[in-house]
Amino acid sequence: MGKTMKSVAIEEESPTSPFCMVLALMEKLGILESTERWKEIRELRHAVNHEYKEDTEALHQILEKMVASAPWLFSGHEKLALFVQNTYQKQSNP
């Protein structure tokens, strides 16, 4: 999803670095409801890499939060796909 968002930013001639600029554009376009929520989910992903061997209870809590975040991510993915289809498919079909 991140690569597609970056591709949209490039197509929209918006900055792509740092990535928070891409997230801000996605929020402005209505694709993401919150850049902060994206960052929180990203932190969960990184936390799994550090907790999986050391603390199984912490890992369990992280994974529960990740599962709870899935609908939000699916919603963002759907909005992104619709944006790409509605915006760029029109451009390629005269």
Side-chain angles (χ1 to χ4, degrees), residues 12-13 20 55 73 87 93:
E12 295 297 311
E13 299 180 357
C20 66
D55 187 346
L73 288 170
T87 304
N93 293 330

Side-chain angles (χ1 to χ4, degrees), residues 54-92:
E54 299 164 13
D55 187 346
T56 57
E57 181 56 34
L59 176 61
H60 179 76
Q61 291 174 6
I62 292 166
L63 292 175
E64 281 185 342
K65 289 178 182 177
M66 289 179 79
V67 169
S69 299
W72 189 89
L73 288 170
F74 283 124
S75 174
H77 181 269
E78 185 175 313
K79 289 175 186 177
L80 180 59
L82 286 172
F83 177 84
V84 168
Q85 181 180 11
N86 292 335
T87 304
Y88 304 117
Q89 188 174 29
K90 290 177 187 176
Q91 290 179 1
S92 64

Side-chain angles (χ1 to χ4, degrees), residues 36-53:
E36 289 306 312
R37 182 71 179 125
W38 175 272
K39 291 174 186 177
E40 289 169 6
I41 294 170
R42 195 76 178 148
E43 286 301 314
L44 290 173
R45 180 183 172 273
H46 291 304
V48 169
N49 293 331
H50 300 290
E51 298 293 339
Y52 75 98
K53 290 182 180 178

Side-chain angles (χ1 to χ4, degrees), residues 21-36:
M21 299 297 289
V22 174
L23 295 176
L25 175 64
M26 295 302 109
E27 190 173 45
K28 179 180 175 185
L29 295 174
I31 294 167
L32 294 180
E33 294 172 17
S34 164
T35 60
E36 289 306 312

